[in-house]
Amino acid sequence: MISLSRRHAKSPAILILIFALTLGQIAAPAQALAGLFGDFTLKDEKELGKKYYTLIKATYPIVEDPEIVRYIKDVVNRVAETLPPQPFPVTTTVVRNNAINAFATPGGYVYVFTGLITEFENEAELAGVIAHELAHVTQRHVAKRIAQQQVTSLGMLAGVLAGMLIGQASGGDSGRAASQALIIGSMAGAQSSMLNYSRIDEREADQVGMNYLLEAGYPPTGMMDGFKKIRRKQYLSGRSIPAYLSTHPAVDERIGYLEDRIAGLSTDIKARTETENRFQRIKTLALARYTDIDGALSTFRTGTGNPALDFMGTGIILSRQNNIPEAAQAFDSALRLAPNDPLILRETGRFHYLQGDVSKAASYLTKAMLLNSDDLMALFFMARLQADKGEINRAVGYYNRILETLPEDPEVHFYLGRTMGRSGNDFDGHLHLAYWGIYSLNKKKAIFHKEKVQALAETEEQKAAFETLTKIFDERDEFWKEMGKGKKK
């Protein structure tokens, strides 16, 4: 679960080309996109959003840590509950990428980059960026520009949308320039003005997003402080400002009118505060697992204000460095300060399991699960412990429980497949190993185990399971084939 070996994302330019070519295969007549709110139907929007979602899943490393995923979903849902009625449910994905970014696409899909967690100081700042992006969706800014530019097919729309959104994801002008060059070169008729939201759109997203932020109960300074922090980090590091701040109106002007609006709010709203304990716990995990080792280690050793979490983060990083003795000492120090913290217990149990100390691992993981029955990471390592002991049925039950919440977690499918295989259930063993291949982006392994599943399918239930597997494989294979073409050029 939560593999740290997922490969790096493709470049934004390659992603745009893949997306444009793939959706170009299902191009619609010009008339189908002519209307702003009419003929560009909800079905078209749903199809476009699902294709983009599959593209992201097929090319970007996705965070599956249930603690992080659940937290981000809770923040997104808290803001989304304030939106006017929407035609699609919100689907949240956490992308492992250090860009300070989030974006939303047609069909109700929201993508949050881990850089937003590691670079911000509190939840209100995170929620401010999410509210801004959701406002672009509710105000139909993408749909408006589709109509204004007279996009003539879903293929062209795919190229334009991918250029705009992945240009944002790259976090800067160079990424946007690469996106723009490829779009213009490969999608005749797509206009460069489509790659950025207009001045009016950005102002509206700021103001409407602020409404959502306030209605969700967050401190009003969240969005403004987030913008300030991004600007300050850009000045200090030389990194480009992400697209939602680099477009017009200028960031200083935007901060200015947000300050003016906040000044006019009632005293009780301006006095709002937010408990940051959960945010800091998630930030500790993200810093320790997904960022530069030296920088994160320096942060924890300097101190973040929570010594127990600092020791836990230090232990995770030292274990990444394979400095096992010092990592063990760090986890022990964390437990001395917070002996009943379920997150620290889980991470300590995880560490000892991976070091082969099954007895210690079982003790810490059991206590973590008793204190937090929803901790799927603890459940995952308990499942592995049970499988090691030969308690197959119990292990399988734990794995299946995790998959109810994280159906695309590659490591869960991998270990469940191995457990099934060792128990003599070859069909289910190869079935889950095929899903492991798909979700870990290993096409060769996916094909190998898929063929085994096909050969072993005898009952109607098994044949139906193979059909479902084939459908999911084919969705990913669209993009894998286009990636292969791109490499040959």
Side-chain angles (χ1 to χ4, degrees), residues 430 433-434 436 445-454:
H430 285 293
L433 288 172
W436 159 66
K445 293 293 185 183
I447 292 173
F448 173 81
H449 292 290
K450 177 173 170 289
E451 290 174 350
K452 293 288 187 181
V453 172
Q454 183 177 23

Side-chain angles (χ1 to χ4, degrees), residues 99-159:
I100 309 174
N101 218 329
F103 60 86
T105 67
Y109 295 92
V110 178
Y111 303 90
V112 177
F113 284 38
T114 51
L116 271 185
I117 305 170
T118 58
E119 297 290 349
F120 279 176
E121 297 301 323
N122 57 63
E123 185 176 307
E125 294 171 357
L126 172 66
V129 170
I130 291 170
H132 173 95
E133 291 302 324
L134 286 174
H136 277 307
V137 175
T138 61
Q139 302 313 110
R140 303 283 291 179
H141 291 155
V142 175
K144 289 176 186 176
R145 285 182 299 148
I146 291 169
Q148 289 167 357
Q149 299 296 327
Q150 297 182 346
V151 176
T152 56
S153 71
L154 277 177
M156 184 179 289
L157 172 59

